Amino acid sequence: MLPPPLLTVLNWVLLLALSLPVAAGQGKRKGNGKGKGSNSHGPEKDICTLLTHHLPPSQVHLPSSPSYPSLTTYWSTRQSSHPSCFVLPHTTGQVSTLLRLLTHHNTPFTVKAGGHTPFSNGSSISSPGSVVIDVSQLNNNIIVSSDRQTVTLGPGLRWANVSEVLDPLGLAVVGGRTASVGVAGLVLGGGISYFSGRRGWACDNVKAYEVVLANGRVVRATAHENKDLYWALRGGGGSNFGIVTRFELAAYEQGPMWASRQLFPGATNHTLIPLMHDLLVDKLPADPDAHTWFVMLYVPEFGGHVVISDQFHATHANLSTPPAAFAAFHDTAAAPEAILTDTRLASVGRLLIDADSPAGSRQTWWTTSIKATTTTDTPALLMEIERIYSSWHAPRLFDAAANGSAVLVPGLIFQAISTNVLQAMQVNGGNALGLKPEDGPLMIVQLTVQWTDPALDDVVEATCGDTIRRIDALAASRGARSKNGFIYMNYAGKGQDVLAGYGKSNRERLRKIAKKYDPEGKLNKLWKGYFKA
C-alpha cells in the first residue's frame, strides 16, 4: 500500500481530468448602462436590493450576509467569486423571475452548479453590480419514475447525491465519475461516463431538458419538442441558450462494478502505451461495458514518473480473473509487473467517492485529441507525446516553481473515444460535438496541473498552451489530427476555442439556435465566462 499522503496526491492528479466545469463566468461589463433595459438603479447593490423584492429575501445573499463568505469559495482557488450578491433560487419559477430581471436590467451574471471549472471566472464573477446564480438548491430532489426508466435531477446536484439514491435501487444513469462534480456542467459539456462504451456520453442520455430562456419563458426540449434546442444542449454548453432547471435522464439497471487500479514505473511506457492503443482500437469496441483511462505523473517518492491505469467494467463480477479487455495489463508476460494493483467490486457511489479530488488548490486543464489512423504508427505518436510531457513540459514547470516553496504537480492523461462510443452518440439525431463513427477512434490528450503559488499562474497557463500546440503540430505532421481539431469542452483551457473543434457548420448552427431563442443576444452579452458559440 502507498502511504495515505501519497495516495491523496495520486488520487488528486488522476482525477483532475474527471471533474467538470459548469457553464458561466466573468468578463468586463458591456454597454454604458444607459437607455432602455439598462440598470437604472445606480449603485451596484441596487440590483440585489431589487431582487429581494421579487424573490424570498433569504435567497439573496449580500456581502454583509453571514452566509456570503462560504459561497465565495470554489473547488479551484482560482475561482474566488465576490459579486454584489449570490442568489440561490429553489424553483423554476424563481429562476424565470430572476433571469427576466437580470436581462431586463442588463446585469452581468454567471451560473454556478458544482463549480468545478479550474480556471478563473469560469463560473465566478466579481465585477461591480454582478450576480452569481447558485443553483445548488434548485429543484434538488431526485425523482425516479414509477417504471424506473427515467430519473429527474436538478442542475446543482452532485453526482454523489444521485448515486446515494440510485445505488440502493440497483439503478444508474450515464453521469459523472467523481462525487463532488455537479450535474449541469458535466451534462451540458458532453459528459464522459463509466457507461459511455454502451450508451454514449451523458448528453446522449438526456430525455428532456427544462430550460428558462433569456426572457424568462420556460420551455421543454426533447427529441420531439424544440428539437433544435435539444440538439444544441447536447454538448453545446448552456450559456448561449438558457438556464437548464431540470434534466430527465434515462435510467438503467446497474449493480456493483468491477474496478482495478494499477501503478507502474514510468519507464514502462514503451510497453503500456501500445496496450492502451490496443484498447482504443480493438478491445473497447469489442466490449462496450469496459471503460478506462491512463495517467502519467511525477512522483518523487518513486524516483520520477509513474503510470496509472484505471480500469472499470459494468458487468464483470469475478475478482480472480480480469475482464478480457484488460487481461494483458494483468499478465506479466504482456505487461510489466505493477508496483500496486487494487482490484475490487464497488457501487457507483463508492467509485465516485474514491475518485473525488479535494478542493483548495490552483488548477488548470488543457486538452486536444488525436485520431488513430491505419496509416500512422499511433503508439509511436503517443510515446512521442509522452516525451513532450516528461522531457519538456514537466521540467519547464518544475523550473518555474524551483525558486520558491510552491507545490506543483503536473499530469498527462489519455482517454479513449472508441468507435463504439461514437456510434452510441448518434441516438436521437446526434449531439453538437460534430463527431461520427468514421471520425474515430480518437484519443483525448489532457494536461492537468495543480499548484499553490498564484505567482505561477501565467507560466503554468503559457506552458500548457505551448505544449498543446506542440502536440497538435506533431499530430498534424503525422496526419493524425482529429476531425476539426476536436476539443472536449469539460477539459478545455480558458484560452482554447472549443466550439471551433465542433466544425464550422455545427458552430454556425449553434449560433443560429442561440439567436432563435435569445434574439437580442442577452445571454451572450451578460452571462460571463465559459465557452461561447
Side-chain angles (χ1 to χ4, degrees):
M1 290 293 292
L2 299 176
L6 184 52
L7 277 173
T8 299
V9 171
L10 288 175
N11 281 339
W12 174 83
V13 178
L14 169 63
L15 286 143
L16 277 177
L18 308 178
S19 306
L20 78 97
V22 177
Q26 176 188 1
K28 291 185 178 179
R29 186 174 178 180
K30 299 179 181 179
N32 59 12
K34 299 178 181 179
K36 183 179 179 180
S38 68
N39 187 342
S40 58
H41 295 275
E44 63 181 72
K45 68 179 181 179
D46 283 2
I47 184 62
C48 296
T49 302
L50 176 68
L51 294 177
T52 64
H53 296 149
H54 292 268
L55 298 168
S58 61
Q59 294 178 13
V60 181
H61 301 257
L62 302 169
S64 58
S65 305
S67 56
Y68 186 94
S70 65
L71 296 171
T72 66
T73 60
Y74 287 66
W75 173 71
S76 170
T77 56
R78 300 175 73 199
Q79 274 240 83
S80 177
S81 191
H82 295 85
S84 293
C85 59
F86 288 88
V87 182
L88 278 70
H90 289 201
T91 69
T92 300
Q94 290 166 355
V95 174
S96 174
T97 298
L98 174 59
L99 196 52
R100 178 171 48 80
L101 288 169
L102 294 179
T103 55
H104 176 73
H105 291 280
N106 289 327
T107 302
F109 70 94
T110 191
V111 179
K112 176 189 178 186
H116 256 260
T117 307
F119 51 77
S120 60
N121 304 325
S123 54
S124 57
I125 189 170
S126 299
S127 59
S130 62
V131 173
V132 170
I133 304 172
D134 183 322
V135 296
S136 59
Q137 303 303 309
L138 175 60
N139 298 325
N140 64 353
N141 53 332
I142 298 170
I143 302 171
V144 179
S145 64
S146 58
D147 63 3
R148 295 167 51 94
Q149 300 296 304
T150 307
V151 177
T152 302
L153 305 174
L157 288 165
R158 310 299 178 100
W159 291 106
N161 305 136
V162 179
S163 65
E164 285 170 0
V165 172
L166 298 187
D167 280 350
L169 299 176
L171 293 175
V173 294
V174 179
R177 298 173 293 179
T178 50
S180 60
V181 167
V183 166
L186 180 114
V187 177
L188 292 171
I192 304 175
S193 171
Y194 293 123
F195 311 112
S196 290
R198 186 172 293 279
R199 307 189 188 280
W201 284 6
C203 66
D204 305 311
N205 290 269
V206 180
K207 293 184 174 182
Y209 302 87
E210 180 184 76
V211 189
V212 177
L213 304 179
N215 62 4
R217 187 163 67 96
V218 181
V219 300
R220 184 175 167 86
T222 73
H224 306 288
E225 183 180 2
N226 295 311
K227 294 187 291 184
D228 51 356
L229 181 59
Y230 175 74
W231 175 85
L233 292 171
R234 288 177 59 185
S239 61
N240 296 288
F241 310 106
I243 297 177
V244 178
T245 51
R246 282 192 178 91
F247 296 83
E248 295 178 19
L249 300 182
Y252 309 97
E253 302 291 329
Q254 181 62 50
M257 293 179 60
W258 181 92
S260 186
R261 171 171 294 177
Q262 293 183 291
L263 180 68
F264 297 95
T268 60
N269 274 328
H270 65 281
T271 301
L272 296 172
I273 286 178
L275 292 179
M276 181 66 184
H277 173 261
D278 188 44
L279 280 170
L280 169 66
V281 174
D282 294 320
K283 297 295 194 301
L284 294 177
D287 187 351
D289 290 321
H291 180 72
T292 188
W293 59 76
F294 191 78
V295 180
M296 282 143 282
L297 64 150
Y298 186 82
V299 181
E301 290 83 349
F302 287 112
H305 293 277
V306 298
V307 176
I308 300 169
S309 173
D310 260 328
Q311 307 146 18
F312 305 91
H313 202 279
T315 58
H316 189 80
N318 186 345
L319 287 177
S320 62
T321 304
F326 303 121
F329 286 86
H330 297 261
D331 180 359
T332 55
E337 185 173 357
I339 300 170
L340 166 72
T341 297
D342 177 20
T343 302
R344 63 206 186 280
L345 295 178
S347 67
V348 172
R350 181 70 258 172
L351 294 176
L352 295 176
I353 293 169
D354 291 346
D356 213 19
S357 50
S361 296
R362 308 184 77 75
Q363 318 273 4
T364 198
W365 304 329
W366 284 69
T367 191
T368 187
S369 59
I370 65 169
K371 181 175 180 178
T373 70
T374 57
T375 58
T376 300
D377 186 349
T378 307
L381 174 59
L382 292 172
M383 285 189 279
E384 288 191 58
I385 291 171
E386 188 279 329
R387 282 192 289 273
I388 291 174
Y389 158 76
S390 60
S391 299
W392 187 84
H393 174 79
R396 186 174 176 184
L397 292 174
F398 290 138
D399 287 346
N403 294 328
S405 58
V407 174
L408 185 145
V409 185
L412 171 69
I413 302 173
F414 291 151
Q415 294 195 67
I417 310 179
S418 47
T419 52
N420 53 307
V421 176
L422 296 171
Q423 184 62 53
M425 288 181 176
Q426 309 312 311
V427 297
N428 294 324
N431 58 40
L433 305 179
L435 297 175
K436 304 295 183 184
E438 58 269 22
D439 300 324
L442 304 177
M443 186 74 83
I444 291 176
V445 180
Q446 185 190 6
L447 302 174
T448 67
V449 189
Q450 173 205 24
W451 69 102
T452 55
D453 185 357
L456 295 175
D457 287 6
D458 290 344
V459 70
V460 169
E461 291 293 330
T463 300
C464 289
D466 287 346
T467 302
I468 289 296
R469 284 186 285 273
R470 285 176 177 238
I471 292 170
D472 284 343
L474 175 63
S477 72
R478 305 295 175 79
R481 283 297 307 278
S482 60
K483 181 182 178 182
N484 301 312
F486 174 71
I487 297 170
Y488 177 35
M489 181 182 291
N490 289 350
Y491 295 165
K494 186 174 184 177
Q496 294 192 270
D497 190 356
V498 172
L499 278 300
Y502 289 14
K504 184 177 180 180
S505 61
N506 274 19
R507 183 173 214 168
E508 184 58 32
R509 184 179 176 187
L510 287 167
R511 287 171 171 166
K512 288 180 178 179
I513 294 168
K515 184 171 180 62
K516 173 182 175 181
Y517 289 93
D518 180 16
E520 296 182 54
K522 291 280 191 174
L523 298 182
N524 186 57
K525 298 172 187 175
L526 300 174
W527 188 338
K528 304 301 181 180
Y530 223 51
F531 302 105
K532 300 289 187 178

